[in-house]
Amino acid sequence: MGDQDTGSVGNGLKRQLVESPGRQTKPSFHSWFRFLLLLCLVVFVLCYALSSSSSSWQSNFQLHHPYKWLFNHSKKVDMPPYRVHPKHRHILNEIQTTTEPPTVQPVGVRYHQAYPGNYHFIMDNTEVCSQNPFLVLMVPVEPSNVAARDAIRQTWGNESLVQGQVVVTLFMLGVSGGADVEKLQQENLQYHDLIQSDFVDSYLNLTIKTMVIMDWLATHCRTAAYAMKVDSDMFLNIDNLVIMLQKPGIPKRNYLTGLLMVNRPVIRTKSSKWYVPEEMYPDPQYPTYTLGMGYVFSNDLPEKYVEVSKSIKPFNIEDAYIGMCMKNLGLTPSSPPDPSQFQSYNSKYNRCQFSKVITYILSSAPQLVNYWTDLKKPGPPC
């Protein structure tokens, strides 16, 4: 019985396989179908992740710092239209090989990521403007860059009375994971010149940093006549600057001047360090703006910049963003009385030449101290 039953079952099974060949492939078909479904799911997840990453990159606003573009215009949009100093080329190269810490999305973000009202001051020196300064020098600098701050304090930042006018120098910092908070507090107790806000201090977040500077001037130092945003690697001939601002005909309102950038194209090549996506800035070129190494403005403008920025989508070129604010205000940056005084790089030091300019970009803090010491020694510079 058992053998017959077994044979019967075996013959029946053979018959089913012969009569229904489709059933033989059914398990294999199901396996392939499940595999294809899984593959589609994986592809979908990867696409979504990449899309989210791209969105996050744009919303977090961690992008390029353009200040050191100089100055050979190129018709090729995939090439930067400026010469880059070797020091800054090294820094810019690092941007492509390192990952910056993500910007923390402010709670209850208003307008956009770069709007300064999203951030709060955590270290301040509001009393410095009680003396109604003629000029306030605002220096964006990394929290860890003590050497740059000390060099400025020994040189042009040490000048509190220039050509009979009160001048104040302040350093603007964000927050950094590697910064020693206690040391910063001690530094501020000693010098009373640090202002710190709670945005992430990144080389790529300078538009946020610049707008926070404007917000501080608009809310904490309204009585100043003029202000200057000046980079921490700059030689600044403060005497020449104050002399320029006291010349007849220099406007006291709606005035922005510096090294003018005119008809600068927007770089669309993704491999470029100066790439700006069309989603952030759709126009093919920037409005006229002043190069971010150091620009001077009447102190009525910061409040206007903050207000008009509510309706201007932020993009990563901070000095061009200020130019966009000017355009939306119906204003245009002015050429300096003597444009040759706002210089970019200089390959070598010349005492006579440095006595005539207002700005130069330098390579190091010791270089600033050496040049300043030589410029201020007794005797005519030329």
Side-chain angles (χ1 to χ4, degrees), residues 50-187:
L50 288 173
S51 173
S52 298
S53 174
S54 173
S55 255
S56 175
W57 172 75
Q58 292 182 27
S59 65
N60 284 346
F61 203 56
Q62 293 206 305
L63 303 163
H64 315 313
H65 168 41
Y67 297 165
K68 312 304 185 273
W69 295 2
L70 299 166
F71 291 106
N72 299 322
H73 180 76
S74 171
K75 292 183 180 179
K76 296 180 180 179
V77 255
D78 60 338
M79 296 295 291
Y82 313 98
R83 179 174 64 84
V84 181
H85 190 276
K87 178 188 71 168
H88 298 101
R89 185 179 292 114
H90 171 71
I91 295 173
L92 289 168
N93 286 339
E94 288 182 349
I95 292 175
Q96 295 184 322
T97 57
T98 60
T99 303
E100 290 285 335
T103 299
V104 177
Q105 180 77 10
V107 177
V109 63
R110 290 188 288 166
Y111 306 107
H112 53 71
Q113 187 75 11
Y115 182 68
N118 296 318
Y119 308 96
H120 307 88
F121 296 109
I122 55 179
M123 186 184 298
D124 209 344
N125 285 283
T126 54
E127 72 285 351
V128 297
C129 284
S130 61
Q131 49 192 321
N132 299 329
F134 174 75
L135 174 65
V136 182
L137 305 173
M138 301 294 292
V139 186
V141 62
E142 296 175 359
S144 60
N145 199 350
V146 182
R149 294 195 290 273
D150 284 343
I152 291 170
R153 290 175 183 129
Q154 295 175 55
T155 56
W156 48 265
N158 192 40
E159 304 285 316
S160 58
L161 192 65
V162 180
Q163 302 291 320
Q165 300 291 344
V166 175
V167 177
V168 171
T169 301
L170 296 166
F171 300 98
M172 175 62 73
L173 293 67
V175 294
S176 172
D180 190 320
V181 176
E182 187 175 346
K183 284 186 177 179
L184 283 175
Q185 291 172 343
Q186 291 298 321
E187 182 182 347

Side-chain angles (χ1 to χ4, degrees), residues 73 77 105 110 139 191-192 199 208 211 224 246 250 276 288 293 311 358 360 366:
H73 180 76
V77 255
Q105 180 77 10
R110 290 188 288 166
V139 186
Y191 296 106
H192 302 284
F199 64 89
I208 296 174
M211 292 310 298
Q246 291 182 301
I250 294 296
V276 178
T288 299
M293 64 176 187
S311 60
I358 290 175
Y360 267 130

Side-chain angles (χ1 to χ4, degrees), residues 85 155-156 233-241 243 338 340-377 379-382:
H85 190 276
T155 56
W156 48 265
D233 58 354
M234 297 299 297
F235 172 89
L236 179 64
N237 193 318
I238 187 68
D239 285 278
N240 289 346
L241 175 57
I243 290 170
D338 181 359
S340 68
Q341 288 190 302
F342 284 84
Q343 296 286 335
S344 53
Y345 296 102
N346 192 2
S347 57
K348 60 181 180 179
Y349 172 76
N350 178 283
R351 188 174 183 229
C352 180
Q353 191 171 11
F354 271 66
S355 71
K356 298 176 181 179
V357 301
I358 290 175
T359 64
Y360 267 130
I361 301 175
L362 302 182
S363 298
S364 67
Q367 192 177 62
L368 170 58
V369 175
N370 292 338
Y371 290 179
W372 184 267
T373 302
D374 185 76
L375 181 66
K376 292 298 180 178
K377 70 184 181 183
C382 298

Side-chain angles (χ1 to χ4, degrees), residues 104-352:
V104 177
Q105 180 77 10
V107 177
V109 63
R110 290 188 288 166
Y111 306 107
H112 53 71
Q113 187 75 11
Y115 182 68
N118 296 318
Y119 308 96
H120 307 88
F121 296 109
I122 55 179
M123 186 184 298
D124 209 344
N125 285 283
T126 54
E127 72 285 351
V128 297
C129 284
S130 61
Q131 49 192 321
N132 299 329
F134 174 75
L135 174 65
V136 182
L137 305 173
M138 301 294 292
V139 186
V141 62
E142 296 175 359
S144 60
N145 199 350
V146 182
R149 294 195 290 273
D150 284 343
I152 291 170
R153 290 175 183 129
Q154 295 175 55
T155 56
W156 48 265
N158 192 40
E159 304 285 316
S160 58
L161 192 65
V162 180
Q163 302 291 320
Q165 300 291 344
V166 175
V167 177
V168 171
T169 301
L170 296 166
F171 300 98
M172 175 62 73
L173 293 67
V175 294
S176 172
D180 190 320
V181 176
E182 187 175 346
K183 284 186 177 179
L184 283 175
Q185 291 172 343
Q186 291 298 321
E187 182 182 347
N188 189 49
L189 285 173
Q190 182 177 356
Y191 296 106
H192 302 284
D193 60 3
L194 301 186
I195 300 171
Q196 189 175 30
S197 179
D198 59 0
F199 64 89
V200 173
D201 198 309
S202 164
Y203 187 76
L204 307 178
N205 277 351
L206 283 168
T207 298
I208 296 174
K209 200 169 193 175
T210 298
M211 292 310 298
V212 169
I213 284 175
M214 297 302 173
D215 185 56
W216 189 88
L217 288 168
T219 57
H220 293 66
C221 201
R222 300 174 67 90
T223 58
Y226 296 95
M228 181 180 192
K229 179 263 170 186
V230 53
D231 283 348
S232 61
D233 58 354
M234 297 299 297
F235 172 89
L236 179 64
N237 193 318
I238 187 68
D239 285 278
N240 289 346
L241 175 57
V242 173
I243 290 170
M244 184 201 82
L245 290 173
Q246 291 182 301
K247 287 184 176 181
I250 294 296
K252 292 179 169 55
R253 297 182 64 81
N254 297 328
Y255 182 62
L256 170 66
T257 193
L259 184 54
L260 295 188
M261 299 285 102
V262 182
N263 297 326
R264 294 295 173 177
V266 181
I267 305 301
R268 299 298 189 195
T269 305
K270 292 184 179 180
S271 60
S272 171
K273 301 175 183 73
W274 296 280
Y275 167 66
V276 178
E278 289 189 40
E279 293 78 13
M280 283 189 140
Y281 189 86
D283 296 339
Q285 71 180 30
Y286 297 114
T288 299
Y289 64 95
T290 47
L291 194 68
M293 64 176 187
Y295 48 82
V296 189
F297 45 93
S298 55
N299 202 39
D300 63 305
L301 281 177
E303 183 177 13
K304 296 174 184 177
Y305 291 154
V306 171
E307 182 63 26
V308 77
S309 74
K310 293 176 181 178
S311 60
I312 303 176
K313 188 174 182 178
F315 54 95
N316 47 300
I317 312 301
E318 73 88 15
D319 41 9
Y321 186 77
I322 293 298
M324 195 67 190
C325 290
M326 288 288 285
K327 179 182 178 180
N328 281 31
L329 288 168
L331 304 172
T332 305
S334 303
S335 179
D338 181 359
S340 68
Q341 288 190 302
F342 284 84
Q343 296 286 335
S344 53
Y345 296 102
N346 192 2
S347 57
K348 60 181 180 179
Y349 172 76
N350 178 283
R351 188 174 183 229
C352 180

